[in-house]
Amino acid sequence: MTICTAGSNIPKGERPDPPPSNENAIRAACEGALKYNNWHEISIRLGKDFTLPPIADQG
């Protein structure tokens, strides 16, 4: 999983004041990792070999 943020426009030499926080990106990465881990544990328990939930399967 990758989260990428940009806080400056280097080619234009622009940097916002105050600089933006990465807090939301870090929070999103942590929540995504937790959800992935939960789904992985469920797939092991069900004896399935998949890493992402099927689109048609809601349970």
Side-chain angles (χ1 to χ4, degrees), residues 6-32:
S8 300
N9 187 333
I10 294 172
K12 291 184 177 183
E14 296 174 0
R15 181 165 170 81
D17 187 33
S21 169
N22 287 325
E23 183 178 346
N24 288 339
I26 293 168
R27 194 177 306 266
C30 290
E31 288 177 9

Side-chain angles (χ1 to χ4, degrees), residues 1-5 25 29:
M1 175 179 304
T2 302
I3 301 286
C4 180
T5 62

